[in-house]
Amino acid sequence: MPGSALVEWFLQPLLELLLQVFGYWTGRIVVPVLSLGLIRIEHVNNARRSRPRWHGFHRAKGGGFVIDEDMTMFLGVLFWIAAGVAAYFVPR
């Protein structure tokens, strides 16, 4: 069907951009608040990465942990999924 290919061509990048931006900024705000400052977010333009890495986490020089932008986006989306599940089950 030609219409479905056009919709996929247009909507897929739009939805991915929305998900990445929304998830990243949610994670950038929520993660440090919920971890009480123990976990910090790595700056996007930081080309240098510390080693060793463990699934997006690495130790900060001053203590605590730093997470990269991909893990930040994942945790932001995970927060909204958890909030949606809680909103579904709590009122019942």
Side-chain angles (χ1 to χ4, degrees):
M1 200 180 245
S4 65
L6 182 63
V7 169
E8 181 180 339
W9 176 79
F10 180 71
L11 286 181
Q12 183 177 359
L14 183 66
L15 289 175
E16 285 180 13
L17 178 69
L18 182 67
L19 183 66
Q20 288 178 358
V21 169
F22 192 65
Y24 176 76
W25 284 104
T26 299
R28 186 145 182 95
I29 294 168
V30 169
V31 169
V33 170
L34 291 180
S35 70
L36 301 174
L38 181 66
I39 301 175
R40 293 178 298 196
I41 309 301
E42 185 176 57
H43 296 292
V44 174
N45 57 2
N46 189 6
R48 212 173 34 122
R49 296 188 185 242
S50 303
R51 298 285 181 213
R53 295 179 52 81
W54 179 75
H55 299 288
F57 289 84
H58 57 270
R59 291 205 179 268
K61 291 180 183 175
F65 295 96
V66 178
I67 60 174
D68 64 359
E69 63 271 0
D70 293 333
M71 183 58 74
T72 303
M73 181 182 58
F74 174 73
L75 292 175
V77 170
L78 192 63
F79 171 79
W80 285 113
I81 291 171
V85 169
Y88 179 77
F89 285 113
V90 167
R92 292 177 183 248

